[in-house]
Amino acid sequence: MKYPYESHIPDSYSEREGTPMERENILYHSFCHIPGIGTRTEEKLWQKGIKDWSELLLYSGEENNILKVSQRHIEEYLQKSEEALATNNALYFQEMLPPSEQYRIFPLVRDSVCYLDIETTGCTSSDVITCVCLWNGANLKSYIRYQNLPSLADELLEYKAIVTYNGRAFDIPFMQRELQCKAPIIHIDLRFIMFSLGYRGGLKGVEKALGIDRKNLTGVDGYFAVLLWKLYEETNQESALHTLLAYNAEDTINLEKILVLGYNMKIDKLALAEPYKMHLSVPLTPQPYYNADESIIQSIKESIEQRNQDTGLF
DNA sequence: ATTACATAGAAAGGTCGTCG
DNA sequence: CGACGACCTTTCTATGTAAT
């Protein structure tokens, strides 16, 4: 079995009758966004059977040796939380939650999220963006340098949130520098979620560990993307551009799958009672949007190998 | 090279229970 | 009551990592 959750049928929000939708949200069972409560205290509370905000408020009035903050304090922050949840204010929770727990806002923004990945000419600040891919779970769009790249800035504003891999440090600074992009402030960076689950080795390492197969694009990486763009600029071969776009699209589409798998794994690890740990459904893989050219991939692989030999490893 | 963040460990500050 | 350790959270530092 490739994906651990592929066969899992999730509880849908509508399956439970008579319960307001927000009560089904993991955030309603979260406490570590309250100042003075960290993930350890939250875990203890769950182990004690305190499983949601209303129960925490009651418990904070009782004699206890878990909470170090007053009931007044809990009440104040729970009131703010109730308001934020009722208005779908994901930003509030993003700011209050410790970074490694920010995946909990995903259900709040999933209806308007875009997965984003950029390719550039390199990693320094003098390098430029070559192409960007946006995937929203249903449609995919590529933005290409010298073509439609500038329109990205406006089109991004249609989304509540973005999802990236290491975007906080890489994609976003590039876009701000080059496109004066006002990206949505709600940003789920998968790198830290997957890191906290023990997944290392970058996006490719995560994909490999999760059994996500890249088929003919196996072995193609970010440096490869630099060379593909260079080849396209020098020769104007459409097939080189399309190979780059295929790689960029593959990365971007995989972000959604990784977020859902990561979300489910994080939820599984919580000390919260089982009925409140609701999984999300794993998205299906769409048909490929671009053709990757085998012969181009092969010849670039050979030239990389040649260069490695020339520079003499060891 | 650049950038932002995680982690770990240390130190500070708070609170609780326990003991004399 | 005060003193103490245990425990937690927060803050600070440094070191590491991942993106192309």
Side-chain angles (χ1 to χ4, degrees):
Chain A
M1 184 164 72
K2 265 191 202 164
Y3 309 117
Y5 295 95
E6 196 155 52
S7 60
H8 179 80
I9 307 298
D11 288 343
S12 98
Y13 288 139
S14 55
E15 271 172 30
R16 287 160 180 266
E17 278 188 54
T19 328
M21 189 167 146
E22 63 262 24
R23 304 285 126 136
E24 297 296 310
N25 196 299
I26 184 64
L27 290 167
Y28 187 61
H29 304 281
S30 297
F31 310 131
C32 66
H33 63 291
I34 299 166
I37 300 180
T39 49
R40 294 183 77 124
T41 305
E42 180 184 66
E43 193 167 355
K44 277 191 195 166
L45 289 164
W46 283 335
Q47 276 162 358
K48 243 196 147 58
I50 297 137
K51 56 188 186 300
D52 61 36
W53 294 347
S54 69
E55 292 181 1
L56 175 65
L57 186 59
L58 286 176
Y59 183 72
S60 67
E62 295 171 17
E63 284 285 308
N64 70 76
N65 54 4
I66 295 180
L67 294 167
K68 309 287 186 207
V69 286
S70 67
Q71 185 180 35
R72 175 78 197 81
H73 174 91
I74 300 261
E75 196 177 2
E76 180 191 333
Y77 281 97
L78 286 183
Q79 217 157 39
K80 289 184 187 174
S81 305
E82 290 276 7
E83 197 184 311
L85 191 54
T87 56
N88 268 357
N89 185 355
L91 187 58
Y92 174 79
F93 293 103
Q94 177 171 276
E95 283 167 350
M96 300 298 287
L97 283 166
S100 62
E101 299 303 317
Q102 287 176 9
Y103 67 90
R104 299 186 197 185
I105 66 174
F106 184 42
L108 242 48
V109 298
R110 198 178 185 183
D111 62 329
S112 173
V113 71
C114 74
Y115 304 86
L116 177 150
D117 183 52
I118 74 174
E119 307 302 329
T120 68
T121 55
C123 276
T124 71
S125 49
S126 57
D127 282 306
V128 295
I129 298 172
T130 58
C131 64
V132 179
C133 183
L134 286 196
W135 164 249
N136 63 12
N139 297 299
L140 181 134
K141 188 162 177 182
S142 295
Y143 299 82
I144 302 156
R145 184 169 193 79
Y146 304 132
Q147 295 182 31
N148 59 345
L149 188 53
S151 67
L152 172 66
D154 280 342
E155 290 178 32
L156 256 185
L157 295 175
E158 290 171 23
Y159 297 97
K160 261 192 227 165
I162 57 172
V163 176
T164 65
Y165 196 95
N166 198 31
R168 293 242 159 93
F170 190 81
D171 305 57
I172 299 303
F174 259 97
M175 291 201 299
Q176 281 173 340
R177 193 158 52 225
E178 236 182 295
L179 303 167
Q180 288 80 46
C181 226
K182 285 199 212 92
I185 359 179
I186 300 172
H187 180 184
I188 300 175
D189 191 330
L190 276 167
R191 179 187 161 190
F192 308 108
I193 293 166
M194 299 318 286
F195 189 88
S196 71
L197 284 165
Y199 292 94
R200 315 283 147 106
L203 182 61
K204 310 294 173 289
V206 172
E207 288 176 0
K208 204 176 162 197
L210 292 175
I212 297 174
D213 179 23
R214 295 178 74 93
K215 306 204 174 65
N216 58 348
L217 285 164
T218 308
V220 177
D221 60 9
Y223 177 58
F224 207 103
V226 173
L227 300 178
L228 280 169
W229 178 258
K230 207 170 144 216
L231 180 67
Y232 170 61
E233 269 202 317
E234 283 168 2
T235 66
N236 243 320
Q237 284 180 79
E238 280 297 298
S239 54
L241 177 62
H242 279 220
T243 305
L244 174 62
L245 297 179
Y247 164 73
N248 188 204
E250 183 90 20
D251 271 3
T252 311
I253 289 169
N254 284 343
L255 291 176
E256 184 185 18
K257 198 170 284 173
I258 293 168
L259 176 53
V260 172
L261 292 176
Y263 181 96
N264 289 343
M265 285 188 276
K266 288 289 278 188
I267 291 284
D268 277 339
K269 289 181 116 180
L270 301 181
L272 186 63
E274 286 302 326
Y276 306 102
K277 303 203 270 190
M278 274 163 299
H279 284 177
L280 300 175
S281 53
V282 176
L284 297 172
T285 308
Q287 288 299 309
Y289 282 78
Y290 303 100
N291 285 322
D293 188 305
E294 296 286 354
S295 61
I296 286 181
I297 291 174
Q298 207 47 49
S299 76
I300 292 185
K301 273 184 183 168
E302 278 160 19
S303 73
I304 290 175
E305 213 151 289
Q306 191 63 50
R307 235 188 106 231
N308 284 345
Q309 279 170 14
D310 290 350
T311 43
L313 296 167
F314 304 117

